[in-house]
Amino acid sequence: MSTAGQVIKCKAAVAWESGKPLSIEEVEVAPPQKNEVRVKILFTSLCHTDVYFWDAKGQNPLFPRILGHEAGGIVESVGEGVTDLKPGDHVLPIFTGECKECPHCLSEESNMCDLLRINTDRGEMIHDGKSRFSINGKPIYHFLGTSTFSEYTVVHVGQVAKINPEAPLDKVCVLSCGMSTGFGATVNVAKPKKGQSVAIFGLGAVGLAAAEGARVSGASRIIGVDLNPSRFEQAKKFGVTEFVNPKDHDKPVQKVIAEMTGGGVDRSVECTGSIQAMISAFECVHDGWGVAVLVGVPSKDDAFQTHPVNLLNERTLKGTFFGNYKPRTDIPAVVEKYMNKELELDKFITHSVPFSEINKAFELMLAGEGLRCVIRMDA
């Protein structure tokens, strides 16, 4: 492309300080350096993680910053050493990576790359410790190595999944974070067998993706657990068959579920980040074979407590990160599941706004409305 090797001026939504509306600014985006690609973002969606770090409560504030990490786009140019991507490729930038060389990447069991594992405090590129974004010479920090709230962004090649160019980017963009995290937690980690029962704790976007994984796996009962009763009706679209609101009971919800299921569910997936929900998710699975999978991210001072006999009675407790998917190796195949109608994504996308109205996406999420709002970068 004619812009290769040159600085690109484009629009980006900049977070100047915590909790304040994003500001659409003209930014300069430097060319990609070694092992980097510059991507033209066509669609990006808002994830709760963006809101969490925009609000900047409970973690290190880093501003000014360009947020965003669920997106789809097209490679504009590549830096030195990039051989498996070329201009014109359709890609999903992903908040974690796969260098393909470290012990984790070489292991069939792990997706937690040593080099490119999620780092929420890093605001520069790994190659030289510098930002590729600037305004009038002043650096603007990156976010999760992706910064997709910009018409162009620079990403490490290990954080870019090349996908089928026929896949609609306005739909599959949601696979670059939340949907893959929840769906993979069920199909790759909990692994329910056909006919088994599954409890899903938290019916937000990630929890509903976990429910979708249970539905696709052929679960006979999918029990949704949430404190917000308004989420129950929507959850039926994702295969949830029964609902439990812990506030409706005067006993721990794990006991309620054990009574409902004759001893406990076969599998559970926790998607809230609440320590109490994590404990309940573990203690509600059946002894002898039950498997509980933790997805939600707790506060840094939280501690998990359960009686060791719950483990001795042959319950299994697991954790997962990004659904145990390796971004470059596995995500293209998840996109194909959507293309083959084995996985539904459209029902996750409840709103769409032009880039100029990106703050409306934040308002919708803060109000608890909808699941995913896709932001159209060309509008």
Side-chain angles (χ1 to χ4, degrees):
M1 294 193 182
S2 60
T3 48
Q6 301 177 28
V7 171
I8 288 178
K9 290 186 176 182
C10 69
K11 291 179 182 176
V14 178
W16 289 102
E17 54 185 305
S18 65
K20 295 293 173 65
L22 304 188
S23 175
I24 303 291
E25 308 277 359
E26 183 178 79
V27 299
E28 295 184 338
V29 185
Q33 302 301 304
K34 185 177 181 181
N35 292 327
E36 296 173 0
V37 298
R38 189 161 57 184
V39 179
K40 181 178 183 180
I41 300 296
L42 298 183
F43 298 95
T44 185
S45 61
L46 182 64
C47 170
H48 189 267
T49 303
D50 296 307
V51 177
Y52 184 72
F53 283 89
W54 162 78
D55 199 36
K57 290 175 182 171
Q59 78 285 188
N60 297 327
L62 195 62
F63 298 100
R65 202 172 202 181
I66 297 173
L67 300 166
H69 66 284
E70 268 192 5
I74 298 174
V75 174
E76 173 268 340
S77 60
V78 303
E80 176 192 344
V82 176
T83 57
D84 55 350
L85 288 170
K86 64 184 185 304
D89 284 342
H90 286 221
V91 295
L92 302 182
I94 295 176
F95 67 93
T96 185
E98 181 185 356
C99 72
K100 297 194 173 184
E101 296 175 355
C102 73
H104 282 278
C105 286
L106 295 174
S107 164
E108 292 183 2
E109 299 180 34
S110 175
N111 67 335
M112 301 188 73
C113 176
D114 288 330
L115 178 68
L116 299 168
R117 190 180 305 186
I118 184 173
N119 183 337
T120 58
D121 291 333
R122 187 171 60 230
E124 301 87 11
M125 299 300 290
I126 288 175
H127 172 62
D128 57 6
K130 295 179 181 178
S131 174
R132 302 289 174 261
F133 298 111
S134 62
I135 296 179
N136 298 324
K138 180 183 179 182
I140 307 294
Y141 290 117
H142 292 250
F143 178 63
L144 301 183
T146 51
S147 291
T148 60
F149 293 167
S150 176
E151 292 177 322
Y152 287 87
T153 188
V154 177
V155 186
H156 191 285
V157 66
Q159 290 184 239
V160 179
K162 179 182 175 180
I163 64 165
N164 184 342
E166 299 298 317
L169 291 171
D170 60 330
K171 302 294 193 298
V172 298
C173 63
V174 299
L175 287 173
S176 56
C177 179
M179 305 311 99
S180 295
T181 295
F183 189 79
T186 302
V187 300
N188 294 336
V189 188
K191 297 180 180 177
K193 298 180 176 69
K194 189 172 183 178
Q196 288 191 321
S197 57
V198 182
I200 307 293
F201 285 74
L203 299 177
V206 175
L208 292 176
E212 181 77 356
R215 182 188 70 79
V216 169
S217 299
S220 60
R221 297 176 74 179
I222 304 174
I223 301 169
V225 184
D226 202 289
L227 297 171
N228 183 352
S230 69
R231 288 179 161 177
F232 292 166
E233 191 61 35
Q234 183 180 48
K236 292 177 183 177
K237 299 177 189 174
F238 299 83
V240 175
T241 56
E242 300 160 71
F243 306 100
V244 177
N245 185 338
K247 291 191 289 190
D248 292 342
H249 302 273
D250 56 7
K251 64 180 76 170
V253 70
Q254 54 266 48
K255 290 189 176 180
V256 174
I257 292 172
E259 290 171 5
M260 289 171 62
T261 55
V265 287
D266 302 300
R267 303 287 187 265
S268 71
V269 184
E270 182 284 323
C271 303
T272 70
S274 157
I275 279 292
Q276 189 52 57
M278 294 179 182
I279 294 167
S280 299
F282 175 52
E283 294 182 355
C284 81
V285 298
H286 206 290
D287 59 6
W289 63 81
V291 178
V293 178
L294 306 185
V295 179
V297 179
S299 296
K300 63 181 189 322
D301 296 326
D302 283 339
F304 184 97
Q305 287 185 303
T306 191
H307 198 283
V309 78
N310 289 320
L311 288 157
L312 297 173
N313 284 343
E314 300 182 6
R315 293 177 180 88
T316 299
L317 178 64
K318 293 184 173 184
T320 182
F321 172 70
F322 192 49
N324 213 37
Y325 287 118
K326 293 179 187 283
R328 298 161 84 182
T329 300
D330 298 332
I331 293 304
V334 182
V335 171
E336 291 307 310
K337 281 184 180 291
Y338 170 73
M339 298 298 284
N340 296 332
K341 296 184 168 52
E342 299 168 41
L343 170 64
E344 297 177 22
L345 293 178
D346 301 50
K347 59 192 177 185
F348 287 99
I349 300 165
T350 51
H351 297 84
S352 176
V353 297
F355 187 38
S356 59
E357 296 177 21
I358 188 170
N359 287 302
K360 185 176 180 182
F362 279 74
E363 291 167 11
L364 288 165
M365 181 161 283
L366 290 168
E369 294 181 27
L371 296 174
R372 278 294 185 266
C373 179
V374 169
I375 298 151
R376 306 185 302 277
M377 300 301 288
D378 62 350

